[in-house]
Amino acid sequence: MTSHTTAAPVTASQVRPRAIAVGAATVAAVLVWVLGKAFGADYEVAQGDGKDPMEVNAVLVAVFALISALLGWGLLAALEKFAPAKAATVWVVVATVVLLASYGMVFSADTSGGTKAALALVHTAVGVVLIPLLWRGARRAG
Protein backbone atom coordinates (compact mmCIF):
# COMPACT_ATOMS: atom_id res chain seq x y z
CA MET A 1 0.00 0.00 0.00
CA THR A 2 1.36 3.40 -0.90
CA SER A 3 0.48 6.60 0.80
CA HIS A 4 0.56 9.95 -0.88
CA THR A 5 0.71 13.06 1.24
CA THR A 6 -0.46 16.32 -0.25
CA ALA A 7 -0.42 19.78 1.19
CA ALA A 8 -3.57 21.79 1.56
CA PRO A 9 -4.09 24.60 -0.93
CA VAL A 10 -2.60 27.97 -0.05
CA THR A 11 -5.09 30.18 1.73
CA ALA A 12 -5.29 33.94 2.18
CA SER A 13 -4.23 33.43 5.80
CA GLN A 14 -0.94 31.99 4.50
CA VAL A 15 -0.35 34.59 1.80
CA ARG A 16 -0.49 37.58 4.12
CA PRO A 17 2.30 36.52 6.53
CA ARG A 18 4.48 35.49 3.60
CA ALA A 19 3.95 38.82 1.88
CA ILE A 20 4.80 40.54 5.15
CA ALA A 21 7.98 38.44 5.40
CA VAL A 22 9.01 39.45 1.87
CA GLY A 23 8.30 43.11 2.62
CA ALA A 24 10.08 43.01 5.96
CA ALA A 25 13.18 41.43 4.41
CA THR A 26 13.23 44.11 1.72
CA VAL A 27 12.83 46.93 4.23
CA ALA A 28 15.51 45.41 6.47
CA ALA A 29 17.96 45.32 3.55
CA VAL A 30 17.36 48.97 2.74
CA LEU A 31 17.62 50.03 6.40
CA VAL A 32 20.95 48.24 6.76
CA TRP A 33 22.11 49.84 3.50
CA VAL A 34 21.19 53.28 4.91
CA LEU A 35 23.10 52.55 8.12
CA GLY A 36 26.11 51.44 6.10
CA LYS A 37 25.98 54.66 4.09
CA ALA A 38 25.72 56.68 7.33
CA PHE A 39 28.82 54.91 8.66
CA GLY A 40 30.83 55.65 5.53
CA ALA A 41 30.37 52.73 3.12
CA ASP A 42 30.77 54.12 -0.40
CA TYR A 43 28.97 51.18 -2.08
CA GLU A 44 31.10 51.45 -5.22
CA VAL A 45 32.12 48.14 -6.77
CA ALA A 46 34.71 47.95 -9.56
CA GLN A 47 33.43 46.23 -12.69
CA GLY A 48 36.72 45.55 -14.45
CA ASP A 49 37.47 45.99 -18.16
CA GLY A 50 37.99 49.72 -17.61
CA LYS A 51 34.33 50.37 -16.88
CA ASP A 52 33.29 52.91 -14.30
CA PRO A 53 32.57 51.48 -10.85
CA MET A 54 28.99 50.46 -10.21
CA GLU A 55 27.19 52.15 -7.34
CA VAL A 56 25.10 49.78 -5.27
CA ASN A 57 22.29 52.19 -4.39
CA ALA A 58 19.20 51.74 -2.22
CA VAL A 59 16.96 50.97 -5.21
CA LEU A 60 19.27 48.19 -6.39
CA VAL A 61 19.37 46.77 -2.86
CA ALA A 62 15.57 46.87 -2.59
CA VAL A 63 15.03 45.24 -5.99
CA PHE A 64 17.50 42.43 -5.35
CA ALA A 65 16.18 41.82 -1.83
CA LEU A 66 12.61 41.73 -3.14
CA ILE A 67 13.46 39.36 -6.00
CA SER A 68 15.45 37.08 -3.70
CA ALA A 69 12.65 36.99 -1.13
CA LEU A 70 10.03 36.26 -3.78
CA LEU A 71 12.18 33.45 -5.18
CA GLY A 72 12.49 32.04 -1.67
CA TRP A 73 8.72 32.16 -1.24
CA GLY A 74 8.26 30.49 -4.63
CA LEU A 75 10.67 27.70 -3.72
CA LEU A 76 8.88 27.13 -0.42
CA ALA A 77 5.51 26.97 -2.19
CA ALA A 78 6.87 24.49 -4.74
CA LEU A 79 8.36 22.31 -2.01
CA GLU A 80 5.06 22.38 -0.11
CA LYS A 81 3.29 21.17 -3.23
CA PHE A 82 5.72 18.48 -4.35
CA ALA A 83 7.37 17.38 -1.09
CA PRO A 84 5.07 18.55 1.71
CA ALA A 85 6.44 16.24 4.40
CA LYS A 86 9.92 17.77 4.20
CA ALA A 87 9.21 21.18 2.66
CA ALA A 88 10.04 23.33 5.67
CA THR A 89 13.26 21.50 6.48
CA VAL A 90 14.51 21.40 2.90
CA TRP A 91 13.62 25.06 2.43
CA VAL A 92 15.57 26.18 5.51
CA VAL A 93 18.63 24.23 4.38
CA VAL A 94 18.47 25.62 0.83
CA ALA A 95 17.83 29.18 2.04
CA THR A 96 20.76 28.99 4.45
CA VAL A 97 23.09 27.62 1.77
CA VAL A 98 22.02 30.39 -0.63
CA LEU A 99 22.67 33.01 2.05
CA LEU A 100 26.12 31.59 2.78
CA ALA A 101 26.93 31.38 -0.93
CA SER A 102 25.93 35.02 -1.38
CA TYR A 103 28.77 36.02 0.92
CA GLY A 104 31.20 34.67 -1.66
CA MET A 105 29.95 37.25 -4.12
CA VAL A 106 30.28 40.00 -1.50
CA PHE A 107 33.77 39.12 -0.33
CA SER A 108 35.11 38.58 -3.84
CA ALA A 109 33.90 42.01 -4.99
CA ASP A 110 36.55 44.57 -5.88
CA THR A 111 35.60 47.21 -3.34
CA SER A 112 36.61 48.64 0.02
CA GLY A 113 36.50 46.65 3.23
CA GLY A 114 33.79 48.92 4.61
CA THR A 115 31.59 48.33 1.58
CA LYS A 116 32.16 44.58 1.80
CA ALA A 117 31.17 44.61 5.46
CA ALA A 118 28.09 46.73 4.79
CA LEU A 119 26.99 44.53 1.88
CA ALA A 120 27.51 41.40 3.97
CA LEU A 121 25.26 42.92 6.62
CA VAL A 122 22.64 43.69 3.95
CA HIS A 123 22.68 40.03 2.89
CA THR A 124 22.51 38.96 6.51
CA ALA A 125 19.53 41.24 7.18
CA VAL A 126 17.54 39.62 4.37
CA GLY A 127 18.34 36.12 5.63
CA VAL A 128 17.77 36.87 9.30
CA VAL A 129 14.32 38.28 8.57
CA LEU A 130 13.17 36.04 5.73
CA ILE A 131 14.35 32.58 6.79
CA PRO A 132 12.61 32.37 10.18
CA LEU A 133 9.46 34.16 9.04
CA LEU A 134 8.88 31.93 6.02
CA TRP A 135 9.94 28.80 7.92
CA ARG A 136 7.56 29.56 10.77
CA GLY A 137 4.66 29.94 8.35
CA ALA A 138 5.53 26.86 6.28
CA ARG A 139 2.73 24.35 6.01
CA ARG A 140 3.55 21.03 7.58
CA ALA A 141 2.11 17.85 6.11
CA GLY A 142 -0.11 16.12 8.57
Side-chain angles (χ1 to χ4, degrees), residues 1 12 15 30 32 35 39 43 51 56 63 78 82-83 89 102 109 124 138:
M1 172 189 267
V15 170
V30 173
V32 171
L35 285 172
F39 281 97
Y43 291 110
K51 295 178 185 175
V56 179
V63 168
F82 297 109
T89 302
S102 78
T124 302

Side-chain angles (χ1 to χ4, degrees), residues 76-99:
L76 177 59
L79 288 167
E80 287 172 334
K81 181 174 182 174
F82 297 109
K86 298 183 181 195
T89 302
V90 170
W91 186 84
V92 167
V93 170
V94 170
T96 302
V97 168
V98 168
L99 173 60

Side-chain angles (χ1 to χ4, degrees), residues 55-68:
E55 181 186 353
V56 179
N57 60 35
V59 172
L60 191 61
V61 167
V63 168
F64 275 94
L66 178 62
I67 290 170
S68 299

Side-chain angles (χ1 to χ4, degrees), residues 33 36-37 40-48 51-58 60-61 105-106 108-119:
W33 181 92
K37 193 74 163 170
D42 62 14
Y43 291 110
E44 286 191 0
V45 179
Q47 297 189 67
K51 295 178 185 175
D52 290 335
M54 176 182 78
E55 181 186 353
V56 179
N57 60 35
L60 191 61
V61 167
M105 184 174 60
V106 169
S108 68
D110 186 6
T111 190
S112 69
T115 295
K116 286 181 183 183
L119 289 173

